Amino acid sequence: MSAKEISETDSTKKFNELFSELEHCDEDDQRKKILEMNEAMEEMDKDEFTSALTEELFDKIYQMIEENKLHWGNVLLLLKHIGFINVSKIFLIYFFDESSFCKRFEKMIVDENEKKKDEKNEKLLTDLCECYLLLYIQYSEELIPICVSFLLKAASKNEEGEKTQKEVEMALLALSCIDKYTIIKKDMYLEEIIEIIKYHQEHHNLTTLAYQSSWKFMMNRLLNYKRLEDTIVNELHFSREAASELEDLIKSVDWKREKKEEGKEGKEVHIIDRWLTVIDDYFSSCKLWNEELAKLIDCVVRVFRASKDYYRDICYQSIDVLEKITDKRNVKIDALLKSGTIDAVLKEIQRTTLDDEITIECLRLFLNISERLKDEEKDEMEEAKRKATKRKIFEKMEEEGYEDTITTFNETIVL
């Protein structure tokens, strides 16, 4: 689709027309138009979103603020929804950093935070921190402690009601944007995020997106605090919880619909995508094995099977996770066999139209298993189990006519 075609789609045309009218409206009319703009964004795919949300647009917003033509409450209403769409739909287009608005935004957070406690506007600070994390990629690590403090406080609300639930979801979604390389002192977040997760496990108060976001924030901390591993695996039961969430999401997606408008998947598909990212991080960082892992692997296989016809991006992500799982020594090969991983991958290779990237991941998966089956085991019982597992796997390959092929790949190709 050309840039001109994108700019003329109904959703972007409506968005741009409404934006051009904002500076001529009073505060109430601005709010109504921004709510319509937010609805238009819901209909956009990634290309449309990129076309509408430009550096120039943010520069114009900044200019309108400076000229007192746009009210701050309405600015935040618009920016929060832009950030929500950007992150929840995994568009992840960071265009705010380059605008003239960004430095002003950082200064506002610092200035508001430095006010005396009784003068500080916590609601404004929370809104600013949410926009900051949802829109930025090159955020200042000096501002992270401020953001974490106020957003965790907002995310800890347990009151019932749709409004509170949405506020909590926004706070957790913003926190999930803090990448794994950003160091946060554990006493700033650990007790609070554990309590948020535990409370949900007992009372089910979070939305599906909010719960996934809480785990993403937690998993991103693991790189710099390895002692979290036992808490994640044995206290909070990540594998059990992630498997349960995936099961519900798999059931809610219409995987077999004949036509799908490209780029406009349902929200459940985006959440599955986000879960797969967290699961990938989990297997990259955790070495502990428990029986709950087998159920999680089974769910990833089910996503792989379900997505292969109409959601190839999800299919690729799930096979990428499975490939990494097969290379982990803490994951038992027998569990991979029982989960149907090998059957699913063999059927994928048999497709008449192959996706090169997915095929490569499938072959890597087999090579990982092959290498692990070659490992010497000192314990005779373990060696017997290894041989039995190897025999089962190669019997499956032989049934499908792949034994010689896989052997050849293993001997001649380094992927």
Side-chain angles (χ1 to χ4, degrees):
M1 187 182 290
S2 69
K4 183 178 180 181
E5 288 172 330
I6 293 170
S7 65
E8 293 177 348
T9 59
D10 290 343
S11 54
T12 55
K13 183 178 180 181
K14 181 179 180 181
F15 181 91
N16 291 329
E17 287 177 351
L18 288 165
F19 181 75
S20 68
E21 297 168 1
L22 288 180
E23 59 185 317
H24 308 296
C25 303
D26 62 22
E27 184 173 357
D28 289 339
D29 284 339
Q30 279 183 358
R31 181 177 179 83
K32 291 176 183 177
K33 290 184 183 297
I34 286 172
L35 289 173
E36 289 185 64
M37 291 168 67
N38 289 349
E39 290 178 0
M41 278 190 284
E42 294 283 354
E43 298 300 317
M44 292 180 185
D45 63 20
K46 186 171 184 176
D47 287 335
E48 292 169 324
F49 195 72
T50 306
S51 173
L53 283 303
T54 61
E55 180 183 338
E56 290 75 22
L57 179 132
F58 288 111
D59 286 338
K60 179 63 176 177
I61 292 175
Y62 182 49
Q63 179 185 341
M64 291 165 67
I65 292 171
E66 293 293 286
E67 295 173 356
N68 294 317
K69 294 180 178 179
L70 192 56
H71 296 267
W72 258 108
N74 290 332
V75 172
L76 292 171
L77 179 65
L78 177 61
L79 293 182
K80 284 176 69 172
H81 202 71
I82 292 172
F84 176 82
I85 297 294
N86 186 43
V87 175
S88 66
K89 289 193 174 184
I90 323 179
F91 290 160
L92 303 182
I93 303 166
Y94 296 95
F95 22 62
F96 201 31
D97 297 50
E98 305 301 322
S99 71
S100 56
F101 200 3
C102 61
K103 293 300 179 185
R104 163 78 182 272
F105 216 78
E106 290 183 336
K107 187 175 186 305
M108 286 186 66
I109 293 175
V110 172
D111 290 347
E112 190 65 33
N113 186 60
E114 289 180 348
K115 290 180 180 180
K116 295 179 181 178
K117 185 175 181 180
D118 57 345
E119 297 176 353
K120 196 175 296 185
N121 186 334
E122 291 193 5
K123 176 66 169 65
L124 174 61
L125 252 176
T126 300
D127 289 341
L128 290 170
C129 290
E130 286 173 354
C131 293
Y132 184 65
L133 293 179
L134 293 168
L135 293 171
Y136 277 64
I137 187 170
Q138 296 178 337
Y139 48 74
S140 167
E141 293 197 9
E142 294 178 4
L143 294 184
I144 292 301
I146 300 173
C147 292
V148 170
S149 174
F150 283 94
L151 294 182
L152 277 176
K153 186 174 182 180
S156 298
K157 295 178 181 177
N158 295 327
E159 299 91 341
E160 295 183 2
E162 186 176 343
K163 182 181 178 182
T164 298
Q165 197 175 53
K166 185 62 179 178
E167 289 174 354
V168 169
E169 181 182 81
M170 284 293 292
L172 287 169
L173 184 67
L175 284 168
S176 75
C177 295
I178 303 175
D179 67 41
K180 65 180 71 175
Y181 304 105
T182 300
I183 298 175
I184 307 173
K185 294 181 179 178
K186 64 181 177 65
D187 57 1
M188 288 189 60
Y189 70 87
L190 188 58
E191 183 178 340
E192 289 84 353
I193 194 65
I194 289 176
E195 180 58 33
I196 287 169
I197 291 173
K198 283 185 172 181
Y199 190 87
H200 172 76
Q201 290 175 354
E202 183 176 351
H203 299 281
H204 305 286
N205 63 308
L206 300 178
T207 66
T208 304
L209 177 59
Y211 191 45
Q212 188 280 330
S213 297
S214 67
W215 274 111
K216 191 172 191 302
F217 173 75
M218 172 72 94
M219 204 64 68
N220 282 347
R221 311 283 66 81
L222 187 57
L223 182 65
N224 296 302
Y225 185 47
K226 293 297 291 181
R227 289 172 62 187
L228 259 181
E229 185 173 348
D230 184 65
T231 301
I232 287 172
V233 174
N234 296 319
E235 183 179 348
L236 298 178
H237 301 279
F238 171 78
S239 294
R240 180 195 68 195
E241 295 295 303
S244 176
E245 292 292 308
L246 276 181
E247 277 189 317
D248 290 341
L249 288 163
I250 290 168
K251 294 174 185 176
S252 66
V253 175
D254 182 8
W255 297 102
K256 295 183 179 180
R257 58 183 172 179
E258 294 182 2
K259 293 183 179 179
K260 172 175 69 70
E261 191 173 354
E262 188 173 354
K264 295 185 178 180
E265 300 91 348
K267 65 179 182 179
E268 294 86 359
V269 174
H270 297 302
I271 299 175
I272 289 173
D273 196 337
R274 287 172 59 84
W275 269 115
L276 289 172
T277 300
V278 175
I279 292 167
D280 185 279
D281 289 339
Y282 174 69
F283 281 108
S284 296
S285 302
C286 285
K287 297 179 180 179
L288 298 177
W289 168 269
N290 62 29
E291 293 307 314
E292 293 172 356
L293 269 176
K295 182 67 173 178
L296 179 56
I297 295 169
D298 177 68
C299 284
V300 176
V301 173
R302 288 172 60 193
V303 172
F304 175 74
R305 289 180 184 272
S307 62
K308 60 188 177 66
D309 290 324
Y310 299 107
Y311 295 89
R312 296 298 279 176
D313 288 346
I314 297 292
C315 181
Y316 174 76
Q317 194 171 359
S318 54
I319 190 60
D320 187 53
V321 170
L322 290 170
E323 185 272 322
K324 290 177 181 175
I325 289 173
T326 59
D327 198 36
K328 299 292 290 184
R329 293 303 190 264
N330 62 309
V331 177
K332 299 176 182 179
I333 292 180
D334 194 48
L336 297 172
L337 192 62
K338 291 178 181 177
S339 70
T341 301
I342 293 168
D343 287 332
V345 172
L346 284 173
K347 284 183 170 57
E348 174 61 25
I349 295 176
Q350 290 178 25
R351 292 169 67 94
T352 55
T353 303
L354 294 178
D355 183 310
D356 288 344
E357 289 186 343
I358 293 177
T359 303
I360 288 172
E361 291 302 307
C362 290
L363 294 173
R364 283 196 177 112
L365 182 149
F366 278 120
L367 293 179
N368 288 343
I369 291 175
S370 180
E371 287 300 314
R372 289 186 59 188
L373 289 171
K374 289 179 181 178
D375 290 346
E376 294 293 332
E377 295 284 354
K378 294 180 180 179
D379 186 277
E380 290 185 5
M381 289 185 66
E382 288 299 317
E383 176 67 9
K385 286 183 181 179
R386 183 183 69 83
K387 287 181 178 179
T389 301
K390 183 175 181 179
R391 185 167 56 255
K392 289 178 185 177
I393 292 172
F394 274 86
E395 283 173 357
K396 285 184 176 291
M397 292 182 182
E398 190 172 22
E399 287 173 9
E400 304 294 342
Y402 282 108
E403 183 178 8
D404 293 339
T405 303
I406 298 300
T407 302
T408 300
F409 273 117
N410 198 30
E411 291 174 352
T412 63
I413 293 180
V414 178
L415 296 176

